[in-house]
């Protein structure tokens, strides 16, 4: 059988993180011709960030892979990927950031920007599509969060994994979600002093779902290991508390930690100062859905309030020919992402080859249901409470791109009649800067009022910044096709 053209494949997988890698190699194992597109230059995504090939000698890094979790699983996946790349079964297009997907006859056309400045373009095609676009960190603003030395919790871990760089020597870790424990352990293990892990929720809420916990003993064991590791490194865990202010002139010098009530409002008079030179903060992750929304895939509200894709038991979205795996269907962790990537590929294989789904798909579906149950519990426990907006002072910047403050947004709602996020954006330009609301969108919706529900997804025509020249070339190509 002749090989497909270099710019066309039976299956395209967008995203080379855990879910995308698992989907690509599983499909290639079965003989499918696969295009794997990713914005990065190396596979792994945000979780399996490959360490620098040659760490600076001054770092003294004898094991640069040490900050990584599940490194053996990653190396096994990349070994399979390398074998398929050698045979040509997988064409791994690195440095390809997909900004839109359109229908061209029976194929999907994936429009991507490439090159060092994003000034070049590519438009490969595939008959079927798996979206494994991952997630981004959710940030809740508070006074001082724009000071140098404040970094995302996931960002701090990425700095450590990819460059063996610490954000500071004395780092407070704060926010909400189990990721914080892994971040604090990584930082402490790399030599940072972590005086406190500040968790806005409380882990006691997990005990209200004993059956879900019993079905996921591996997560219980992981939690016990994390708590033991934190104790070993002398990290204090402060629950039902939040960093409500950052202090410093040129960079972070200290933070104020306040006790929270059940709605996440700061308890008056409970603030305590902790000296530090960096803050790693994050309140969970939210799926990246831009491409899926552009295709018209339906969404639902997850237990943490965020919008996630609707998928069936085979991980098919509501758009025929499009599957989704990993965090796009809800935040659940690396093991769930790996299982869903494989399951999505098996579903594609069955449809492509006109046969039944392989037998091991049944075991994967059962594993997925079990892990999705825990993911739902995790989302509900760590969902931001409505009172968090009480952290904001009038001059606290909410939209950093456009320098829009909480006071400006509140005025737009109270005095100018903005009753939803869209109107608030039009009146204040919040969310209309370079990031297009990816950082501030959650906060803008919260300040705009009940009409802007958490699960209302932001729909953007482009999934990333695209030069006008690239758009013009894409339009010319469509005209020629037409």
């Amino acid at each position: 059988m002749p090989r497909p053209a270099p710019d066309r494949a039976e299956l395209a997988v967008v995203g080379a993180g855990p879910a995308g890698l698992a989907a690509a190699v599983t499909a290639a194992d079965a003989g499918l011709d696969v295009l794997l597109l990713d914005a990065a230059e190396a596979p792994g995504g945000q979780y399996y960030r490959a360490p620098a090939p040659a760490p600076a000698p001054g770092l003294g890094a004898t094991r640069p892979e040490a900050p990584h979790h599940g490194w053996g699983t990653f190396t096994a996946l990349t070994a399979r990927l390398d074998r398929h790349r050698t045979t040509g079964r997988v064409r791994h297009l690195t440095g390809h950031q997909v900004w839109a997907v359109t229908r061209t006859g029976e194929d999907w056309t994936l429009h991507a920007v490439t090159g060092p400045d994003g000034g070049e373009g590519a438009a490969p095609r595939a008959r079927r599509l798996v979206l494994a676009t991952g997630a981004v960190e959710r940030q809740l603003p508070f006074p001082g969060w724009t000071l140098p030395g404040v970094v995302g919790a996931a960002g701090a871990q990425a700095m450590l994994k990819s460059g063996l760089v610490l954000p500071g020597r004395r780092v407070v870790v704060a926010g909400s979600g189990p990721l914080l424990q892994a971040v604090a352990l990584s930082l402490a293990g790399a030599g940072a002093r972590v005086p406190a892990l500040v968790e806005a929720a409380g882990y006691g809420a997990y005990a209200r779902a004993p059956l879900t916990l019993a079905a996921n003993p591996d997560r219980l064991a992981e939690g016990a290991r994390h708590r033991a590791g934190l104790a070993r490194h002398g990290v204090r865990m402060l629950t039902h508390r939040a960093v409500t202010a950052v202090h410093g002139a040129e960079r972070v010098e200290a933070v104020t930690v306040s006790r929270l009530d059940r709605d996440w409002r700061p308890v008056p008079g409970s603030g305590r100062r902790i000296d530090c030179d960096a803050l790693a903060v994050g309140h969970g992750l939210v799926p990246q859905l831009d491409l899926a929304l552009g295709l018209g895939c339906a969404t639902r509200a997850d237990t943490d309030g965020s919008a996630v894709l609707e998928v069936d038991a085979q991980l098919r979205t509501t758009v025929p020919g499009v599957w989704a795996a990993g965090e796009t269907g809800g935040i659940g962790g690396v093991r769930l992402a790996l299982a869903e990537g494989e399951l999505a590929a098996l579903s594609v294989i069955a449809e492509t080859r006109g046969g039944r789904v392989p037998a091991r798909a049944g075991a994967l579906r059962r594993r997925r249901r079990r892990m999705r149950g825990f993911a739902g519990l995790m989302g509900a426990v760590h969902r931001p409470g409505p009172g968090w907006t009480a952290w904001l002072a009038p001059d606290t910047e909410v939209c950093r791109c456009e320098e829009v403050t909480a006071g400006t947004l509140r005025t737009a709602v109270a005095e100018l009649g903005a009753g939803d996020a869209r109107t608030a954006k039009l009146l204040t330009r919040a969310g209309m800067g370079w990031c297009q609301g990816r950082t501030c969108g959650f906060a803008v919706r919260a300040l705009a009022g009940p009409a802007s529900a958490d699960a209302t997804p932001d729909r953007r025509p482009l999934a990333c910044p695209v030069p006008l020249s690239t758009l013009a070339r894409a339009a010319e190509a469509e005209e020629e096709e037409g």
Side-chain angles (χ1 to χ4, degrees), residues 138-159:
R138 175 165 50 204
Q139 292 292 342
L140 307 184
F142 49 87
W145 76 303
T146 58
L147 267 177
V150 179
V151 299
Q157 194 167 49
M159 291 166 62

Side-chain angles (χ1 to χ4, degrees), residues 449-460:
S452 297
D454 293 353
T456 303
D458 290 324
R459 297 180 182 273
R460 305 177 182 92

Side-chain angles (χ1 to χ4, degrees), residues 107-200:
D107 290 341
W108 296 110
T109 298
L110 296 95
H111 304 277
V113 289
T114 65
D117 58 356
E120 302 173 29
R125 296 182 182 182
R127 188 67 180 274
R128 292 171 178 82
L129 178 65
V130 172
L131 296 174
T133 47
V136 294
E137 196 164 18
R138 175 165 50 204
Q139 292 292 342
L140 307 184
F142 49 87
W145 76 303
T146 58
L147 267 177
V150 179
V151 299
Q157 194 167 49
M159 291 166 62
L160 186 59
K161 287 181 175 181
S162 60
L164 303 178
V165 176
L166 289 170
R169 301 305 304 177
R170 185 177 172 87
V171 188
V172 169
V173 177
S176 189
L179 174 64
L180 300 183
Q181 296 188 28
V183 172
L185 278 174
S186 295
L187 294 173
R193 173 81 174 93
V194 182
L197 190 164
V198 184
E199 165 64 59

Side-chain angles (χ1 to χ4, degrees), residues 329-364:
I331 307 304
V334 66
R335 287 186 287 268
L336 177 56
L338 291 168
E340 289 196 343
E342 184 178 356
L343 182 57
L346 294 178
S347 178
V348 173
I349 292 164
E351 184 169 305
T352 303
R353 298 296 187 242
R356 297 177 61 184
V357 176
R360 71 178 186 276
L364 283 171

Side-chain angles (χ1 to χ4, degrees), residues 37 89 120 143 175 179 184 218 241 354 379 388 394 432 446 449 459 472:
L37 297 92
R89 184 66 67 190
E120 302 173 29
L179 174 64
D218 55 328
R241 291 173 174 83
W388 75 266
M432 299 178 74
R459 297 180 182 273

Side-chain angles (χ1 to χ4, degrees), residues 63-460:
R63 294 179 59 243
E65 74 279 7
H68 294 256
H69 308 281
W71 193 249
T73 300
F74 175 58
T75 55
L77 282 171
T78 53
R80 291 166 67 190
L81 177 65
D82 289 341
R83 288 196 296 272
H84 288 306
R85 286 193 298 198
T86 300
T87 63
R89 184 66 67 190
V90 174
R91 283 161 286 164
H92 182 194
L93 304 182
T94 62
H96 281 59
Q97 188 164 7
V98 180
W99 53 269
V101 180
T102 57
R103 197 65 157 159
T104 305
E106 295 184 340
D107 290 341
W108 296 110
T109 298
L110 296 95
H111 304 277
V113 289
T114 65
D117 58 356
E120 302 173 29
R125 296 182 182 182
R127 188 67 180 274
R128 292 171 178 82
L129 178 65
V130 172
L131 296 174
T133 47
V136 294
E137 196 164 18
R138 175 165 50 204
Q139 292 292 342
L140 307 184
F142 49 87
W145 76 303
T146 58
L147 267 177
V150 179
V151 299
Q157 194 167 49
M159 291 166 62
L160 186 59
K161 287 181 175 181
S162 60
L164 303 178
V165 176
L166 289 170
R169 301 305 304 177
R170 185 177 172 87
V171 188
V172 169
V173 177
S176 189
L179 174 64
L180 300 183
Q181 296 188 28
V183 172
L185 278 174
S186 295
L187 294 173
R193 173 81 174 93
V194 182
L197 190 164
V198 184
E199 165 64 59
Y203 285 92
Y206 282 90
R208 299 171 190 162
L211 295 180
T212 301
L213 294 179
N216 292 272
D218 55 328
R219 300 307 295 262
L220 284 173
E222 181 181 58
R225 288 195 301 272
H226 283 171
R227 295 297 289 267
L230 293 172
R232 188 168 59 252
H233 286 289
V235 179
R236 289 184 299 156
M237 180 175 286
L238 307 176
T239 59
H240 301 289
R241 291 173 174 83
V243 169
T244 52
V246 178
H247 312 285
E250 300 297 325
R251 63 164 294 122
V252 175
E253 297 174 6
V255 298
T256 290
V257 175
S258 302
R259 182 180 292 276
L260 303 180
D261 66 17
R262 62 184 303 170
D263 290 327
W264 286 32
R265 293 183 183 85
V267 176
S270 66
R272 297 292 182 269
R273 182 183 174 107
I274 298 178
D275 292 334
C276 59
D277 62 1
L279 169 65
V281 59
H283 290 84
L285 305 171
V286 291
Q288 293 201 86
L289 302 181
D290 292 333
L291 292 177
L293 293 174
L295 286 167
C297 298
T299 64
R300 62 176 178 82
D302 207 2
T303 55
D304 70 344
S306 61
V308 301
L309 294 183
E310 278 190 15
V311 295
D312 64 12
Q314 305 296 333
L315 297 180
R316 292 175 295 219
T317 70
T318 55
V319 175
V322 180
W323 285 254
E327 312 290 45
T328 53
I331 307 304
V334 66
R335 287 186 287 268
L336 177 56
L338 291 168
E340 289 196 343
E342 184 178 356
L343 182 57
L346 294 178
S347 178
V348 173
I349 292 164
E351 184 169 305
T352 303
R353 298 296 187 242
R356 297 177 61 184
V357 176
R360 71 178 186 276
L364 283 171
R365 283 196 295 270
R366 289 190 293 273
R367 189 190 315 170
R368 174 180 178 264
R369 283 196 298 269
R370 172 176 60 80
M371 291 189 288
R372 275 288 166 209
F374 185 87
L377 172 61
M378 182 174 65
V381 169
H382 298 281
R383 177 174 181 164
W388 75 266
T389 55
W391 307 351
L392 304 174
D395 61 351
T396 302
E397 282 189 1
V398 173
C399 172
R400 300 173 69 163
C401 297
E402 295 293 321
E403 299 181 338
V404 180
T405 65
T408 300
L409 281 163
R410 284 169 171 152
T411 298
V413 172
E415 300 179 16
L416 303 180
D420 55 65
R422 181 178 181 275
T423 306
K425 289 167 68 174
L426 291 172
L427 291 171
T428 67
R429 291 196 55 81
M432 299 178 74
W434 180 259
C435 85
Q436 287 293 288
R438 290 173 176 83
T439 300
C440 68
F442 178 85
V444 172
R445 288 193 296 272
L447 288 167
S452 297
D454 293 353
T456 303
D458 290 324
R459 297 180 182 273
R460 305 177 182 92

